[in-house]
Amino acid sequence: MTKRGIVAEDLYELKSVKNPVLSPDGSRFIFIETEIDKEKHEYNSHLFVADVEGKHVSQWTFGDVKDGSASWSPDGKSILFTSNRSGKSQLHMLNTDGGEAKQLTYCKHGARNPIWSPDGTKILFETSLSPEENVTDKEEQKEKDKLLEPMVVERVRYKSDAVGFLDDKNQHLAILTLATGEIEQLTEGDRDYTAGFWSPDGEKISLSVDLSDEPDYNLTNDVYIMSVKTKELTKLTKSNGSFGNPTWSPDGGYIALIGHEKEYEGATLSKLWLYNVQLAELTCLTAEWDVQIGDVAIGDFHSGNTNPGAIWTSDSKGFYFLMSDLGNTGVYYGSVEGEMYPALLENQHVYGLAVDPNTHKAIVGISTPTHPGDLFSVDLTNGDIKQITFVNDEFLTGIELAKAEAITFKAPDGWDIHGWIMKPFGFVEGKKYPTIIEVHGGPHAMYANTYFHEFQTLTAQGYVVVFTNPRGSHGYGQTFVDAVRGDYGGKDYIDVMTATEYAVKTFDFVDETKLGITGGSYGGFMTNWAVSHTNIFKAAVTQRSISNWLSFYGVSDIGYFFTDWEMKGDLINNTEKLWKHSPIAYVDKIETPLLILHGEKDYRCPIEQAEQLFVALKMQKKPTKFVRFPESNHELSRSGNPKLRIDRINHIKGWFVEYLG
């Protein structure tokens, strides 16, 4: 059978499977499968149920809907999930013996993140409420038509890339009693609460929230225990960092947390913490372990994965969790004494995890550069693994995906830099190929051994793709991830250029006369910086980029603190420094043909960053083009409109074809 390389439009054919949840008896699991409606250019997500042996996999929900957040009742007889089938996300329930799904909530602004009580009689969930609203207000209540009114802004944090301009609503917690349908509101006020878990006796819940006097400036997040009966709060953390994912041990003696104390601001490694409930003591279990807890792999295919936090074993002596290291994410076991052991750590991206607390058998989602992602059954005690889902096998039968070969090289100051190189489709020994350098966003993220649709479409077009983790990236320790702060365009730029030089000198198939560079967000900043400081690249594509730190400070939803954290300067006291690190300050030096891609509703790196760059280049009559994506925020490449995601990749490919051949 003759195979072909993948194209951008193949995104319509690929399915993703994620968020596995095991049944109480460990014999079955639920997962979410997402596909794209090619006619409507919309995502549909449905519930599937499979046995852990992989012999029976069946679809349980259908239609043009987005179903998610599925979980089993403690007795295994019902499945709770969220669905937008009524128009907005509400809680629904299915009987495992069959029948139609029953809608449980009719909250005015929807319901999210449902969590069963230990006895299965109540459900904790999140909803949004304005100060004058009550959790029992129904979605059917139509608001009166309102005349246009000016928006009055008094807080520095007034917009968000995720939701746009913020209104007066906050995220609150409520409890639904299944027998009566009664809903009790647990929290109120001008704060956003995130649900944790129920205590084993069902009398308390864990939650996270910032209750400081000035949350817009404090930028911390604390974990609390709340008494369900009295609403009394007990604080576990010290308002000196960012903490979340509080999970209770089965015996109620401990709560495991993930977080950090902001020692390096946003570049601080997340750690595992243990709270002793009886002693009211919080201890960091991984203080001496130089790794990032959780999955921080970056890609353009998997989106909306649930962070499982620490998953306790039934004996309350330990737990399993995800960690990121050296371009991989894996599963580790940790004990309450602080011992850590690898349970599943290979050259791959583990993006989902569910563990049977009694048998230590797990369902994991795994992706590699040549495997978009499937669910596997794993015995975490011995590593035995078996693939259960095969959602893309039939389609990929006729596709040849490029492998990613790991590379490591030395920066001029002796630091080890790690990355990968991918050969083009139809590779022929002795032939030279145009080569594209990819730079990830963040910068505190990590390229990994995972599927990347953009990379595969470029290799299919005949390009070599080089992607690395320069300093500032996660996966290589605290010193490495912190090294970029205050030095954007410094040694991080040297790392990117050293990667380019290494590829040219090491691989005879790299055509040094046809080099391109691209990246998004911080990667867009680095693309702008590179072409304003060297002419080695013959084509470049900057995506959702930063070009001017001075304006970014005031227009980005995070600019007022991110600039201070990352650039170690602000608009008021460090104007000269911000301008010095702004690529647009060197726009007169840009000779490389530059394609500028940006979302119209990107509030993280607002489109004015692209507008400034484009106009400055056009006024110099430099080769450039500006593509604006309507109704698109910073997540365009990962979870944006499917058609626009495809258009984006085709614009990237087309630009490189025009200027690199």
Side-chain angles (χ1 to χ4, degrees), residues 181-370:
E182 178 185 353
I183 297 178
E184 178 186 10
Q185 187 173 327
L186 296 180
T187 62
E188 59 184 16
D190 184 21
R191 294 293 186 271
D192 294 309
Y193 292 80
T194 299
F197 287 86
W198 293 81
S199 61
D201 60 12
E203 295 181 1
K204 303 179 183 68
I205 61 167
S206 58
L207 60 88
S208 56
V209 63
D210 182 357
L211 293 179
S212 64
D213 291 338
E214 296 184 314
D216 290 0
Y217 302 95
N218 193 38
L219 300 171
T220 59
N221 204 50
D222 286 302
V223 171
Y224 292 82
I225 298 172
M226 173 185 276
S227 166
V228 173
K229 184 177 180 180
T230 67
K231 313 296 187 299
E232 181 182 356
L233 289 171
T234 301
K235 191 175 181 181
L236 278 58
T237 50
K238 300 177 181 179
S239 298
N240 62 347
S242 181
F243 295 88
N245 298 101
T247 59
W248 235 293
S249 63
D251 65 4
Y254 298 100
I255 298 176
L257 320 175
I258 295 177
H260 59 74
E261 295 181 323
K262 288 178 62 178
E263 298 97 319
Y264 305 91
E265 302 294 1
T268 312
L269 295 180
S270 291
K271 304 174 183 67
L272 263 169
W273 302 72
L274 193 68
Y275 181 79
N276 186 309
V277 176
Q278 183 176 2
L279 300 178
E281 291 181 352
L282 182 65
T283 305
C284 183
L285 296 180
T286 58
E288 305 303 319
W289 198 23
D290 202 18
V291 302
Q292 169 74 7
I293 304 301
D295 171 16
V296 291
I298 201 164
D300 65 354
F301 187 68
H302 293 288
S303 177
N305 297 315
T306 299
N307 184 347
I311 303 174
W312 285 89
T313 55
S314 58
D315 59 7
S316 295
K317 293 181 178 180
F319 40 79
Y320 290 95
F321 59 94
L322 296 177
M323 54 79 71
S324 300
D325 192 39
L326 302 176
N328 300 301
T329 64
V331 182
Y332 260 72
Y333 171 81
S335 73
V336 295
E337 286 81 22
E339 298 171 302
M340 304 289 157
Y341 308 99
L344 180 65
L345 189 58
E346 304 291 341
N347 291 325
Q348 60 194 15
H349 173 203
V350 177
Y351 64 87
L353 175 65
V355 181
D356 186 323
N358 299 303
T359 65
H360 296 239
K361 292 182 179 180
I363 303 297
V364 297
I366 295 176
S367 176
T368 69
T370 56

Side-chain angles (χ1 to χ4, degrees), residues 126-191:
E126 300 166 354
T127 189
S128 296
L129 296 169
S130 296
E132 72 277 5
E133 292 175 338
N134 189 281
V135 72
T136 56
D137 290 343
K138 300 295 183 66
E139 62 176 326
E140 289 85 4
Q141 295 176 354
K142 303 296 183 182
E143 293 187 13
K144 295 180 180 179
D145 293 335
K146 294 182 178 180
L147 295 174
L148 288 176
E149 298 286 351
M151 178 181 179
V152 179
V153 176
E154 294 183 290
R155 294 177 55 173
V156 66
R157 178 180 174 268
Y158 67 93
K159 59 183 176 180
S160 161
D161 185 65
V163 299
F165 288 116
L166 301 177
D167 50 28
D168 62 349
K169 290 190 285 293
N170 289 96
Q171 180 168 284
H172 288 292
L173 307 185
I175 291 177
L176 167 67
T177 299
L178 288 172
T180 63
E182 178 185 353
I183 297 178
E184 178 186 10
Q185 187 173 327
L186 296 180
T187 62
E188 59 184 16
D190 184 21
R191 294 293 186 271

Side-chain angles (χ1 to χ4, degrees), residues 363-592:
I363 303 297
V364 297
I366 295 176
S367 176
T368 69
T370 56
H371 191 148
D374 270 303
L375 299 177
F376 294 73
S377 175
V378 182
D379 187 332
L380 295 175
T381 63
N382 58 28
D384 288 347
I385 186 168
K386 178 183 179 180
Q387 186 171 344
I388 295 178
T389 66
F390 303 83
V391 292
N392 295 306
D393 277 20
E394 183 177 353
F395 170 70
L396 292 176
T397 300
I399 303 294
E400 181 177 314
L401 295 176
K403 297 178 180 178
E405 175 187 342
I407 56 175
T408 302
F409 52 92
K410 293 281 187 183
D413 58 0
W415 286 38
D416 287 326
I417 308 299
H418 174 233
W420 297 262
I421 188 168
M422 302 171 75
K423 295 178 181 177
F425 175 77
F427 176 79
V428 176
E429 289 286 353
K431 183 179 177 180
K432 286 186 176 292
Y433 295 89
T435 299
I436 298 169
I437 308 298
E438 291 268 5
V439 187
H440 68 64
H444 310 309
M446 180 182 77
Y447 272 148
N449 281 300
T450 192
Y451 178 80
F452 220 115
H453 196 61
E454 178 183 325
F455 296 177
Q456 291 292 345
T457 59
L458 291 174
T459 59
Q461 185 62 34
Y463 298 115
V464 174
V465 172
V466 176
F467 58 107
T468 63
N469 285 322
R471 66 194 75 191
S473 304
H474 272 306
Y476 307 91
Q478 183 62 78
T479 300
F480 194 91
V481 75
D482 185 55
V484 74
R485 292 201 306 135
D487 190 41
Y488 277 41
K491 290 185 178 179
D492 54 343
Y493 168 65
I494 292 174
D495 291 346
V496 171
M497 296 308 298
T498 304
T500 307
E501 181 182 0
Y502 174 83
V504 168
K505 290 184 176 180
T506 306
F507 303 99
D508 58 8
F509 52 83
V510 171
D511 189 341
E512 64 181 318
T513 68
K514 295 182 177 181
L515 298 174
I517 186 170
T518 186
S521 195
Y522 164 82
F525 159 83
M526 183 53 68
T527 298
N528 297 340
W529 187 268
V531 297
S532 63
H533 286 75
T534 179
N535 290 326
I536 191 174
F537 299 107
K538 303 309 175 186
V541 182
T542 183
Q543 309 172 48
R544 59 192 188 280
S545 74
I546 297 170
S547 65
N548 186 342
W549 288 107
L550 291 172
S551 61
F552 178 86
Y553 180 85
V555 299
S556 168
D557 64 339
I558 63 172
Y560 71 97
F561 65 85
F562 186 87
T563 306
D564 185 40
W565 288 2
E566 294 296 312
M567 301 307 300
K568 296 187 177 180
D570 61 48
L571 181 64
I572 301 167
N573 302 300
N574 309 97
T575 305
E576 185 176 341
K577 180 176 184 178
L578 295 190
W579 184 246
K580 175 184 176 183
H581 287 273
S582 296
I584 203 164
Y586 312 95
V587 71
D588 61 316
K589 304 293 194 301
I590 297 178
E591 302 294 338
T592 304

